[in-house]
Amino acid sequence: ETRYFGWLGHYFVVKRISTQPNFHGVYLAFLEHLGEYGKGLIDAILFSVYMNVGKLLRSPKITTSTSERSLLKNLGSWLGQITLARNKPILQITLDCKELLYQGYETGMLIAVTPFVAKILEGAKNSVVFRPPNPWLMGLLSVFRSLYEVEDLKMNIKFE
């Protein structure tokens, strides 16, 4: 029943998607198999992903806890697969990736934000829409290039 999509979407995100990146393909296939009926579930999952990303980014332990950063990376990977890989945009009003990188630099949270945004962009590798010269993609790549040229940045952030 569609009235349980909110609960199921939250369960998927918290118990499955964020902790089991190896099964992302299976979960995507399941959602594709649901067809039109599953669109509400996809919306519920996306809503839950955005809420959990916000919670993780506001967490005081995100810069020190590898497990929280891992959850964030897994959510980024899923977000890229369910949006960019399917030629669907991530709306700036919902998640502004460029601003997230700028704020990450200013607040010292690049160790968490850079891998998250990089995992989102991995979803664009099989996209038809999100390829150069797509302005959204080129803007994000220019921010990554600017960050790469920063002198005192840790090497693991540069390689991300």
Side-chain angles (χ1 to χ4, degrees):
E1 268 187 63
T2 57
R3 66 181 171 161
Y4 297 115
F5 280 174
W7 176 86
L8 185 57
H10 179 74
Y11 172 80
F12 254 122
V13 171
V14 173
K15 300 288 186 188
R16 300 290 175 204
I17 293 168
S18 62
T19 60
Q20 300 173 337
N22 295 347
F23 293 117
H24 283 180
V26 174
Y27 302 143
L28 284 169
F30 168 70
L31 292 171
E32 292 287 327
H33 185 72
L34 291 177
E36 281 295 315
Y37 181 74
K39 286 194 187 286
L41 181 56
I42 291 173
D43 292 341
I45 289 172
L46 278 173
F47 178 78
S48 188
V49 166
Y50 291 128
M51 290 296 115
N52 282 288
V53 164
K55 283 180 191 173
L56 285 168
L57 289 173
R58 286 188 299 275
S59 169
K61 297 188 295 184
I62 193 71
T63 55
T64 56
S65 170
T66 56
S67 63
E68 284 196 5
R69 288 197 306 269
S70 177
L71 293 174
L72 190 62
K73 278 174 39 174
N74 292 344
L75 288 175
S77 176
W78 172 263
L79 191 55
Q81 290 176 42
I82 201 165
T83 56
L84 304 182
R86 297 168 69 223
N87 300 313
K88 306 242 187 270
I90 297 172
L91 299 179
Q92 185 175 355
I93 196 166
T94 310
L95 181 67
D96 189 350
C97 293
K98 274 175 49 175
E99 185 62 27
L100 199 57
L101 287 167
Y102 288 136
Q103 285 180 1
Y105 177 74
E106 291 174 4
T107 60
M109 288 181 48
L110 276 179
I111 193 167
V113 172
T114 305
F116 170 67
V117 176
K119 285 291 188 181
I120 291 174
L121 284 181
E122 280 182 13
K125 69 183 172 192
N126 297 324
S127 175
V128 176
V129 175
F130 297 100
R131 294 200 168 283
N134 179 292
W136 180 83
L137 179 67
M138 297 310 289
L140 265 178
L141 291 177
S142 72
V143 173
F144 273 121
R145 175 149 178 116
S146 300
L147 287 174
Y148 184 80
E149 293 171 354
V150 172
E151 295 275 328
D152 299 329
L153 209 57
K154 291 181 179 177
M155 288 303 278
N156 61 337
I157 294 174
K158 286 187 177 190
F159 283 115
E160 196 66 49

